[in-house]
Amino acid sequence: MGRIYNFSAGPSMLPEKVLRKAASEMLDYNGSGMSVMEMSHRSKVYESIVDNTENLLRKLMNIPENYTVLFLQGGASQQFAMIPINLMSKNKKADFINTGSWSKKAISEAKLVGDVNIIASSEDKNFSYIPQDYSISPDADYVHITSNNTIEGTRYVNFPNTGDIPLVADMSSNILSEEIDVSKFGLIYAGAQKNLGPAGVTIVIVRNDLIGNHRESAPIFFRYSIHAKDKSLYNTPASYSIYMVGLVLEWLDELGGVKAIENINNEKASLLYDFIDNSKMFTSPVDKKYRSLMNVPFVAPTDELNAKFIVEAQKEGLSTLKGHRSVGGMRASIYNAMPVDGVKKLVDFMNNFEKK
Ligand SMILES: Cc1ncc(COP(=O)(O)O)c(C=O)c1O
């Protein structure tokens, strides 16, 4: 079987060029005579892989000097816990905007550490929009948002202006999908398995003054300061995943960087949303203003048609289109590595399905 178009929400498609390069280096990385998987994380050759990956990320995201990049494990879920342990330091309070399932998980972890103030929520309308009306608590240690809601299909078009209070963003499902100004954030985190590479590594970009403020009782392993001091090599990192992230970043750099992929992402999203908006069968549950460029939920009029759509799409090589169990219907995740042709094929299939 050839390669199919995989619309999974994550782990998701990786660029074919990246997979081929990894395959070509599988047995002998750069004349080392071994696979990156077999290499000591303390070796010079591996150190250069981590350095190269960090430098590329800094270049592509234009990360200012006063920010540290960490390659951690435990997924974005571990960050739900680590962020409050490290950042709820002064007043032991944080503001959260609740925009869906992943925000809720972040909130649950933070509540175990300090006072959580939910300053806005879109739960009243099934998380189909991003709230705009809120006031930030003057004594909050930070404000937390989920920049792209993978399950509900919404995204922040403008980020909250939090003044001097650090803005913290879970960018797991839209990091590197469009240009952002890193200097507006105190901390950005993202699991790799959507736009960055395979599962296993989690990127944390944190402003230096926010490192080292953890609680006295914080487990050593959960302190950003320890991982920053040891340049993400405090313990054995997800070494192969970091190498793969490096290859994905090289691919993105060659493509023209974040602006170039942003244009492609806009083109892909427009193809799909324009079709849905003109369709007599499919509808989008999301407020147009806040539609995600990465995750596109849509529904047919009945559960029976939804089920039929998913089965028939799979037969055409359009895979993993089932919506999240909490939402139902369909969801097409069209991350950076999804080619424009994959979205065109999906739209053609939707068109034919509707006609039939
Ligand atoms: C926005 C968002 N946050 C957090 C997570 C959880 O990530 P992980 O499974 O890496 O812990 C996901 C996973 O899909 C996600 O989409």
Side-chain angles (χ1 to χ4, degrees):
M1 192 184 189
R3 279 180 65 74
I4 55 169
Y5 291 117
N6 171 15
F7 292 90
S8 165
S12 48
M13 281 188 90
L14 288 169
E16 193 169 322
K17 208 171 159 191
V18 166
L19 295 175
R20 288 191 186 283
K21 174 122 196 247
S24 77
E25 293 179 335
M26 182 59 76
L27 298 182
D28 176 9
Y29 173 77
N30 208 11
S32 65
M34 61 176 104
S35 167
V36 174
M37 279 185 220
E38 302 169 300
M39 220 169 249
S40 162
H41 59 293
R42 309 266 174 219
S43 61
K44 278 268 167 296
V45 57
Y46 188 72
E47 245 174 54
S48 74
I49 292 174
V50 181
D51 286 349
N52 178 48
T53 307
E54 175 176 339
N55 291 340
L56 272 168
L57 188 69
R58 284 187 176 277
K59 176 183 166 192
L60 287 164
M61 291 185 73
N62 203 8
I63 301 173
E65 287 276 310
N66 62 325
Y67 283 71
T68 295
V69 174
L70 300 174
F71 299 105
L72 305 181
Q73 300 187 53
S77 301
Q78 181 169 301
Q79 293 313 306
F80 295 164
M82 264 178 95
I83 291 163
I85 288 173
N86 284 273
L87 266 54
M88 266 191 191
S89 48
K90 222 185 328 159
N91 298 319
K92 307 198 174 3
K93 281 184 184 171
D95 283 355
F96 278 71
I97 300 182
N98 178 16
T99 51
S101 310
W102 292 115
S103 302
K104 281 187 177 178
K105 289 212 164 145
I107 288 166
S108 302
E109 288 283 4
K111 277 185 175 166
L112 298 175
V113 180
D115 286 342
V116 167
N117 194 7
I118 300 169
I119 56 169
S121 167
S122 50
E123 194 157 18
D124 58 338
K125 289 191 183 152
N126 250 341
F127 298 117
S128 59
Y129 69 104
I130 301 290
Q132 301 297 311
D133 231 6
Y134 44 82
S135 44
I136 289 156
S137 317
D139 58 348
D141 288 325
Y142 62 92
V143 178
H144 181 281
I145 61 165
T146 313
S147 63
N148 184 80
N149 296 280
T150 326
I151 295 173
E152 297 81 6
T154 57
R155 90 182 205 280
Y156 281 77
V157 181
N158 298 305
F159 294 111
N161 180 357
T162 57
D164 289 340
I165 300 176
L167 177 61
V168 172
D170 175 0
M171 287 198 188
S172 292
S173 50
N174 73 339
I175 192 165
L176 290 166
S177 66
E178 54 185 324
E179 285 189 317
I180 58 143
D181 180 354
V182 174
S183 73
K184 295 236 155 53
F185 297 85
L187 187 150
I188 291 169
Y189 63 104
Q193 65 271 23
K194 300 163 201 301
N195 266 345
L196 287 163
V201 59
T202 308
I203 308 281
V204 176
I205 303 165
V206 52
R207 213 174 61 211
N208 290 344
D209 61 291
L210 299 175
I211 299 174
N213 307 331
H214 53 263
R215 302 176 161 212
E216 287 285 297
S217 59
I220 291 165
F221 189 70
F222 289 143
R223 300 175 181 185
Y224 288 131
S225 55
I226 283 293
H227 296 282
K229 184 169 134 297
D230 285 351
K231 293 191 77 192
S232 303
L233 297 174
Y234 173 70
N235 69 323
T236 316
S239 53
Y240 195 76
S241 297
I242 295 172
Y243 153 76
M244 287 294 290
V245 170
L247 294 189
V248 170
L249 297 179
E250 271 172 24
W251 166 82
L252 185 54
D253 196 30
E254 279 167 23
L255 202 81
V258 179
K259 190 71 212 168
I261 202 76
E262 178 177 335
N263 292 337
I264 298 171
N265 287 333
N266 275 316
E267 182 190 345
K268 288 186 298 187
S270 297
L271 276 169
L272 195 44
Y273 287 124
D274 286 351
F275 175 78
I276 293 169
D277 289 342
N278 290 308
S279 163
K280 293 196 176 62
M281 174 180 259
F282 300 103
T283 49
S284 153
V286 174
D287 185 328
K288 278 188 188 179
K289 283 202 285 285
Y290 308 109
R291 283 171 165 177
S292 168
L293 298 178
M294 299 283 100
N295 310 95
V296 183
F298 55 94
V299 287
T302 65
D303 287 346
E304 225 179 320
L305 278 170
N306 287 332
K308 194 173 159 66
F309 180 92
I310 291 157
V311 170
E312 292 196 3
Q314 181 73 46
K315 286 186 202 149
E316 295 296 315
L318 301 164
S319 169
T320 332
L321 281 159
K322 198 172 187 320
H324 189 270
R325 58 192 178 281
S326 65
V327 175
M330 278 73 76
R331 171 178 51 172
S333 294
I334 50 173
Y335 297 116
N336 286 358
M338 171 62 67
V340 177
D341 281 350
V343 178
K344 283 188 178 155
K345 188 167 172 186
L346 172 62
V347 168
D348 282 349
F349 175 78
M350 291 168 79
N351 197 12
N352 289 334
F353 187 86
E354 182 170 339
K355 279 188 189 141
K356 265 204 285 179

